[in-house]
Amino acid sequence: MSLLSSTPLSVLDLAPIRDGGTIAESFQDSVHLAQFVESLGFTRFWLAEHHSLEGIASAATSVLIGHIAGHTSQLRVGSGGIMLPNHPPLVIAEQFGTLETLYPGRIDLGLGRAPGADGATMAALRRDTYAGVEDFPQRLAELQKFLGDEQPGQHVRAVPGQGTKVPLWLLGSSLYSAQLAAREGLPFAFAAQFAPAQLDEALHLYRTQFRPSDVLEKPHAMVGLPVIAAQSDEQANFLASTARQKFLGMIRGKRQRAQPPTKELDWTPMERHQVEGFLGASIIGGPDTVRQELERFLERTGADELMLNTDTYDIEDRLESYRIVASIWKE
């Protein structure tokens, strides 16, 4: 049995908004995608919290999780992630306690500490500039208290939420969350889909420093990975120009909707280097290329799960990419 065939696969979705499309269409695409990957046997479908970004419609993450869960039946649906310092832990406990009650055994709560927004948006969120820098462990502990069993003398309760014990994951793109997840005995997800530089070191720290807990006996690491599969390497690279345009726009300070693929990108050597840094873990190609690269990645990292993010302009290309990956996975 290959490493790939024995590794659970999941999907990270940002409800991307296409240039020329509408937000309503983005939500329809997310539902369509979730139903499709559920039929293919994928494990999780996570949505990420971002704010004030023209091309991403998943800002009200818990609302969209409920929408996706309501249109699927077995898929685990969750956050990849909720940026905890943007919210009072009590509110997140209530939201996810509600989701867990509506869809028992199907909700995941992935947590990050980045703002998911620029400075002006952070101010609009009423987020302290230093929120999550030093107090993230305390916020995590407070959330755990509201989701766990009620304690004697506990005056504030999450209703719903208390006692639901929604599974928590810590997410990160640096070493901080890896070490905290290890200390708390929680599963860890690394965001290599946009920041792969410290992946290997983070996984090493997580595994070597892991302390067993009531929820996890041994380390469990999932890696977010950009993957675009098509019928040929040439076609996959063409489709990947949509993601490259997105990161090029970010470098230039221009947040835009998803752009159609293009054969040529007007970028400087420095800009190309920066974009390739963001997308350095990408696996892009035809079926044989994707199979070989996924196997090599799993051999190198030892990831327990992979969470794939396929960023294409057209939903049909996204569905086809996941179909190709599933066919490789089940060989």
Side-chain angles (χ1 to χ4, degrees), residues 170-185:
L170 289 191
L171 282 54
S173 57
S174 66
L175 308 183
Y176 177 92
S177 291
Q179 293 173 300
L180 181 59
R183 192 182 80 190
E184 297 295 323

Side-chain angles (χ1 to χ4, degrees), residues 250-304:
M250 290 171 57
I251 291 166
R252 294 174 174 175
K254 182 181 179 182
R255 305 299 179 100
Q256 59 191 9
R257 295 188 174 201
Q259 299 296 304
T262 179
K263 291 184 178 181
E264 298 291 336
L265 284 175
D266 181 19
W267 52 9
T268 68
M270 177 61 73
E271 288 173 332
R272 179 170 184 166
H273 177 75
Q274 289 176 291
V275 170
E276 289 175 348
F278 283 118
L279 296 171
S282 295
I283 294 176
I284 300 167
D288 290 341
T289 298
V290 170
R291 180 192 300 106
Q292 294 169 13
E293 291 299 318
L294 284 172
E295 289 286 356
R296 273 198 286 264
F297 185 84
L298 287 168
E299 184 175 354
R300 189 191 105 209
T301 63
D304 299 294

Side-chain angles (χ1 to χ4, degrees), residues 9 15 24 42 59 64 79 96 108 112 115 127 134 138 148 150 181 187 197 210 215 248 250 266 313 316:
L9 298 184
F42 283 62
L64 196 51
S79 57
F96 279 80
D108 295 324
R127 173 172 169 148
E134 299 294 341
Q138 289 73 35
E150 184 178 354
F210 183 84
V215 298
L248 180 60
M250 290 171 57
D266 181 19
Y313 180 75
E316 293 303 324

Side-chain angles (χ1 to χ4, degrees), residues 81-98:
I82 289 290
M83 301 298 108
L84 186 57
N86 289 346
H87 315 276
L90 174 62
V91 172
I92 297 303
E94 291 169 341
Q95 290 176 358
F96 279 80
T98 299

Side-chain angles (χ1 to χ4, degrees), residues 105-154:
R106 295 184 53 212
I107 302 299
D108 295 324
L109 177 46
L111 300 165
R113 66 189 186 107
D118 58 24
T121 307
M122 287 171 61
L125 288 165
R126 304 296 190 268
R127 173 172 169 148
D128 186 316
T129 304
Y130 298 101
V133 177
E134 299 294 341
D135 64 351
F136 189 75
Q138 289 73 35
R139 291 172 182 265
L140 173 63
E142 189 176 353
L143 178 61
Q144 289 173 313
K145 178 185 73 173
F146 287 133
L147 291 172
D149 293 328
E150 184 178 354
Q151 299 301 305
Q154 183 175 335

Side-chain angles (χ1 to χ4, degrees), residues 15-32:
I17 309 168
R18 293 188 311 139
D19 189 37
T22 68
I23 293 174
E25 289 171 345
S26 296
F27 293 153
Q28 292 167 7
D29 288 348
S30 290
V31 169
H32 189 182

